[in-house]
Every structure is written in C-alpha cells, then in structure tokens.
Amino acid sequence: MNSRFYAQAEVLVEVVRQGSMTAAAAALRLSKSNVSQKIAEIENDLDAVLLKRNTRAIELTPAGKRVFDLCVKAVDALQLARGEVEHELQSAVPQGVVCLSGSNLYLSEFIMPLLPSLRENLPLVRIDLVGGDHIVDQRAEAVDLRIRVGTVDTDGVKVYPLAPLERVLCLHRDFLRDAKVPTDPSGLSGVPLILRSQENPEWVLRNNGKSTKQSVTNPVLRVNSYELCVSAVRSGLGAAVLAKAIVQKDMDDGSVVELLPSWKIDPIPVSLVVPVSKLRRPEVLAVSRYIVSRFHRGRDF
C-alpha cells in the first residue's frame, strides 16, 4: 500500500467512524480542508462517489461501502503492524547516522545547542547536519529529518509541530538617530525595508483586533538567506521581519530595536518533517522524539 492511498484510506475510515469531516479532522489533527481534499482525491483516483454529501450525517454510497470495508481492513492491519514495529523499535538500541536538514540559522541557533545532550542520551547515533535555505527533497538528498519553517506538504511524511517562532519588525538603533520613528504602519513608507527572496512580500501587522497589510514592493535590499537578512539589519541597512529569538541578544543590548512594538506579526510555524518510511529506523525515531520533546507543540508520536 503506497503512502498516498493509505493517507486517503485513513481519512475515509475516520470520517465514517466519526460521522463527520469536522470530527474526523479533529481526531486526525488535520484541517477540515485537508480531510475534504483526501476524500476528493480517493474519489477521483477510484472514479467513484463514495460519500453522500446531501445530508447532515455521513452516508456511504454502495461503492463507498465496498471501498470502506476494504479500507478498514487495510488501515487496521497497518495500525496493528505499526504497533508491532513500534514495540521492536522501542526495544532496539538506536545506532547509526541520522541526517538532519534545516536553515543554517535555525540549525546553529536551536539544534546545535541540543547536540551535546543528545549525544549523551544517544551515544551510538551520529548527527549529520545539512544547512541551507533551499527546499530540500528528502528522498533525493538522502535526508532523514527536516526542520521546516513555514507550511509543509503532508503527503508521505509525518509532520510534528514544534514551537513556532515569534517574529518582530526590527532595525538597528543608529537608524533612529536621524529618522522619525513611525508610530503606526503608515509610517513605514519612510523606512528602508529588507526582504528575503523566500519571504511573502506582504507583511500583516495586528493590533487589538485590527490588522493592516504592508506591501514590500520596493525593498532597499533583497537577500536570499536568513543570515544575510540578519546581517543587513545589524549593519543598519534597514528594517526586516526576523525571528525574535535570533535577535534577542541584540535587542537586550539595545543595538537592535523593535519597530511598532504595539503591532504584532503572526508567529511562523515550525515543524519536524519525517518521511514515514524513515520512522522504521530506531535511530531516526529516537532523534525525532528527542527533538520533539524539546520543542514540542503538537501531537505525540
């Protein structure tokens, strides 16, 4: 059974068992739109309507009943197999090499400090780090684990939410000596802004239930990495949206200041992405659990 079909089958079974897509989404910890998408995919793949959608309660079509019976057997069998494999993994001694990828800045600021204690807990496991801001193809690049900042595709992978990154709009204090400090987002038109090429050029700022959008259509500087963006702010070249944890020391010593402190920018989600097939390896499972235990903000393994 391929991972795409299993994901579809698991959703179909849960929708029928729970009696609604909303309840199934909650049980599977997915969005309702994701659940609807999986149902649409399996119906499209099988070229058959499986669920009647014209009633409040979920009702299977004749074709849906046959497919559901097959899916129940497949899902239950795979879950049983998972339990048996999980038991074996728990009793196995983790050893080997685990390749972990992520942005250079995230790996250096958040993962690197964990490695000494991880080594103490898993002395037979070696961690290889692969840094970069590019999107990694975990299969092509033989990466076992990936730290993903932002949204992530869930097909064929397990996604474990980690602590989100709080973000601030900030710039170097020297800029404020010769410029008027803006008191609301409209004042940003007079501030040179720095943008990363991977970043959404429209910032959303919120204040007491109000929100406004700041379009960065003509940045004073465009960079292709987080490190360069941080360096540009520290060099006084302009303002940028950065993870607060990255510039916290600069803010503490006053060299970098937050602009519009009463206006907040939504935190950015962070996830540990693990191909389902990789979780069969004890060392990958052990490292995954360790990282999640330190930054956990979502469902358990």
Side-chain angles (χ1 to χ4, degrees):
M1 182 190 304
N2 63 45
S3 58
R4 172 185 166 88
F5 176 74
Y6 176 75
Q8 296 169 349
E10 185 179 37
V11 167
L12 176 64
V13 169
E14 200 64 34
V15 166
V16 175
R17 285 175 171 172
Q18 294 290 337
S20 74
M21 291 193 184
T22 300
L28 294 170
R29 299 191 182 183
L30 299 172
S31 67
K32 186 179 177 181
S33 61
N34 200 321
V35 168
S36 298
Q37 179 184 352
K38 296 299 182 189
I39 295 297
E41 286 176 357
I42 192 172
E43 288 184 325
N44 184 63
D45 289 348
L46 298 176
D47 194 22
V49 176
L50 305 180
L51 298 176
K52 294 181 181 179
R53 295 174 173 80
N54 56 353
T55 60
R56 290 187 177 181
I58 291 295
E59 186 177 348
L60 289 164
T61 65
K65 291 178 181 178
R66 293 192 294 272
V67 173
F68 173 74
D69 290 341
L70 293 172
C71 287
V72 166
K73 294 177 182 178
V75 169
D76 288 349
L78 192 52
Q79 288 179 346
L80 178 62
R82 275 181 175 173
E84 294 176 354
V85 170
E86 177 75 6
H87 177 72
E88 291 184 7
L89 288 176
Q90 289 177 348
S91 60
V93 177
Q95 56 184 315
V97 179
V98 175
C99 184
L100 170 63
S101 77
S103 71
N104 289 326
L105 210 55
Y106 194 94
L107 293 180
S108 62
E109 293 288 335
F110 299 103
I111 298 300
M112 200 74 74
L114 297 183
L115 295 187
S117 59
L118 189 150
R119 185 179 299 168
E120 290 181 7
N121 285 274
L122 302 170
L124 300 180
V125 175
R126 189 187 86 203
I127 302 295
D128 285 355
L129 298 180
V130 178
D133 283 344
H134 65 289
I135 301 297
V136 171
D137 184 336
Q138 285 178 263
R139 296 176 184 174
E141 301 188 34
V143 170
D144 301 309
L145 307 174
R146 174 165 61 103
I147 301 291
R148 172 65 177 155
V149 178
T151 57
V152 62
D153 185 3
T154 59
D155 281 344
V157 297
K158 281 286 188 180
V159 179
Y160 298 100
L162 305 181
L165 288 176
E166 182 181 352
R167 298 186 292 172
V168 293
L169 177 60
C170 57
L171 82 174
H172 196 274
R173 65 184 175 195
D174 289 347
F175 177 84
L176 300 179
R177 294 175 181 172
D178 305 315
K180 183 179 179 181
V181 180
T183 57
D184 59 66
S186 63
L188 291 177
S189 58
V191 177
L193 302 178
I194 302 167
L195 190 71
R196 290 185 302 116
S197 55
Q198 305 92 332
E199 186 179 2
N200 188 334
E202 192 172 70
W203 299 339
V204 179
L205 297 99
R206 306 184 191 278
N207 180 7
N208 294 327
K210 298 185 297 183
S211 66
T212 185
K213 295 180 180 179
Q214 174 67 38
S215 295
V216 188
T217 55
N218 188 29
V220 67
L221 179 66
R222 189 184 295 270
V223 297
N224 70 345
S225 76
Y226 215 103
E227 296 97 321
L228 289 175
C229 195
V230 173
S231 179
V233 169
R234 287 171 174 164
S235 299
L237 297 177
V241 173
L242 297 175
K244 188 174 182 179
I246 300 297
V247 291
Q248 187 64 64
K249 291 181 180 179
D250 303 270
M251 294 174 66
D252 290 342
D253 66 26
S255 60
V256 169
V257 296
E258 182 179 1
L259 276 181
L260 306 177
S262 61
W263 290 82
K264 301 303 179 183
I265 297 176
D266 291 340
I268 190 166
V270 181
S271 305
L272 177 67
V273 183
V274 192
V276 174
S277 60
K278 301 283 188 178
L279 287 172
R280 300 169 188 162
R281 291 166 46 198
E283 66 274 23
V284 172
L285 181 62
V287 173
S288 300
R289 282 178 165 165
Y290 184 83
I291 293 174
V292 170
S293 71
R294 300 299 295 268
F295 298 111
H296 185 47
R297 288 296 182 276
R299 60 184 177 184
D300 295 326
F301 281 80

